[in-house]
Amino acid sequence: MIKKYIRTLHLWLGLIIGLLVFIISVTGCFYAFQKEIQDFTDEYRFVIKENKPVLLPSEIRRIVRKELPGKNLHSIKYYKDNHSIEATFYHQVPLYYYIMYINPYSGKVLHTQNMEEGFFPFILKGHMYLWLPQDMGRILVLIVTLLFFTIVLSGFILWLPKNWYILKKRIWFNWKSSANWKRKNWDLHSIIGFYTISFALLFIITGLVWVMPNFANWYHQAFGGEKSLVYEEPLSRHVAPVTNEPLDALYHKYYSSGVNFAHIELHLPETENSSISVVINPSYDTYWRSDYVYYNPFSLKELRVNHIWGHYQEANTADKLLRLNYDIHVGSVLGLTGKIIAFLMSLMIASLPVTGFLIWYGRWRKNNH
């Protein structure tokens, strides 16, 4: 009797949000290989490495501000290898987001990309907001995620076999030549559902961390986290400046210190009291091991923070788990292999609303003919 109610719940929730689960899963598939695809198609992301010094942040700042006058220069990113320099222009209200790619030796602007337009921004907006206004879309995605969690758990309960003989049938395809499409479709739904359940839960948990702050705090504290999850730059005290070009000084500091990094991003102060934040990432493909360091732009003294976005070495297990959230969600934590797994699992999860609908449609058609 209990399974009957669970089956009804599973069915109707699937019919109600199935299309939205399909959209979120398929867009996740496309986004998994964003970096690899763009590195292959966007030639302006790379330059020929030359045996000469690269342009300093102050020089890059003068060049890019001529290209986008009146726009807020948010950050300048340098790579250790043959990547272009990336200058990011970002403002929340009114919203705009551009990335400008510059030859690090000549200063030539290679390309300016509006990050609110194009294929991958379109895919990301579908994945995170279902192409609705952000506030509305975020709430809807949260509701869908919570309901999908209920679907996953109810589906697992319905999948549980009564004995070993039935278990063997529910963990692999064993179709007889006489099996019709309904039988095959039911097996696809049941067996794929079983093999994707752990990944579905992983995607749900890492997704909830973004869209549900209270869950993120509970999740962090459950593993012993004590720091804040809210990213805040420390305020800077006005003193006599030690240099007129603090970004250049910090650039020299990290390039001459022998610090291991794949890329380093210098964030300009947003206000008179803001700090300069520097993100030092030792990896090209992941983000979780980055150091976030903050400096007073006048004295260039380091400013300490009490949230998880600080020095990596000072992060405990709970902090690292939250830092890992994005890399786990897209699979990059395991490199290309992890991205392939994330892609395949997302694709298989996207198939579940389709096979589930066909199960319902087959039964509805039988009962009405």
Side-chain angles (χ1 to χ4, degrees), residues 105-214:
Y105 309 105
S106 68
K108 180 182 178 181
V109 176
L110 305 175
H111 180 75
T112 301
Q113 179 65 45
N114 185 345
M115 299 304 292
E116 290 295 304
E117 299 175 354
F119 177 73
F120 283 110
F122 174 79
I123 291 297
L124 184 61
K125 289 175 184 177
H127 187 71
M128 296 188 68
Y129 313 121
L130 294 166
W131 300 294
L132 296 169
Q134 283 195 18
D135 292 341
M136 182 190 305
R138 189 183 296 272
I139 292 172
L140 182 56
V141 168
L142 170 59
I143 293 170
V144 170
T145 304
L146 293 173
L147 293 179
F148 183 55
F149 175 71
T150 304
I151 290 174
V152 170
L153 292 186
S154 60
F156 179 69
I157 294 171
L158 294 174
W159 175 89
L160 288 172
K162 294 180 179 179
N163 54 54
W164 174 251
Y165 175 75
I166 297 176
L167 174 64
K168 289 192 294 182
K169 288 187 174 183
R170 294 192 180 179
I171 60 175
W172 198 245
F173 305 101
N174 187 23
W175 291 326
K176 297 179 181 179
S177 57
S178 58
N180 59 24
W181 75 269
K182 291 182 180 179
R183 174 77 251 178
K184 292 178 180 178
N185 182 70
W186 193 94
D187 283 348
L188 280 170
H189 189 77
S190 176
I191 294 170
I192 289 176
F194 168 69
Y195 283 108
T196 58
I197 184 172
S198 57
F199 292 93
L201 292 174
L202 195 63
F203 292 145
I204 288 169
I205 291 170
T206 51
L208 285 176
V209 166
W210 280 318
V211 297
M212 196 173 179
N214 288 338

Side-chain angles (χ1 to χ4, degrees), residues 63-64 67 100-103 107-112:
I63 292 169
V64 300
E67 294 291 323
M100 190 178 294
Y101 297 84
I102 306 102
N103 185 302
K108 180 182 178 181
V109 176
L110 305 175
H111 180 75
T112 301

Side-chain angles (χ1 to χ4, degrees), residues 240-260:
V242 297
T243 175
N244 291 327
E245 296 293 348
L247 292 180
D248 291 1
L250 290 173
Y251 169 87
H252 285 304
K253 169 185 172 69
Y254 283 99
Y255 265 79
S256 62
S257 65
V259 172
N260 176 39

Side-chain angles (χ1 to χ4, degrees), residues 42-73:
D42 301 343
E43 295 182 358
Y44 53 80
R45 297 164 72 90
F46 299 92
V47 297
I48 297 173
K49 200 167 181 63
E50 300 181 31
N51 188 25
K52 61 170 70 171
V54 302
L55 297 176
L56 294 172
S58 58
E59 297 169 300
I60 295 296
R61 186 178 63 224
R62 284 192 289 270
I63 292 169
V64 300
R65 281 181 170 167
K66 290 180 181 178
E67 294 291 323
L68 287 176
K71 301 295 185 184
N72 178 57
L73 178 59

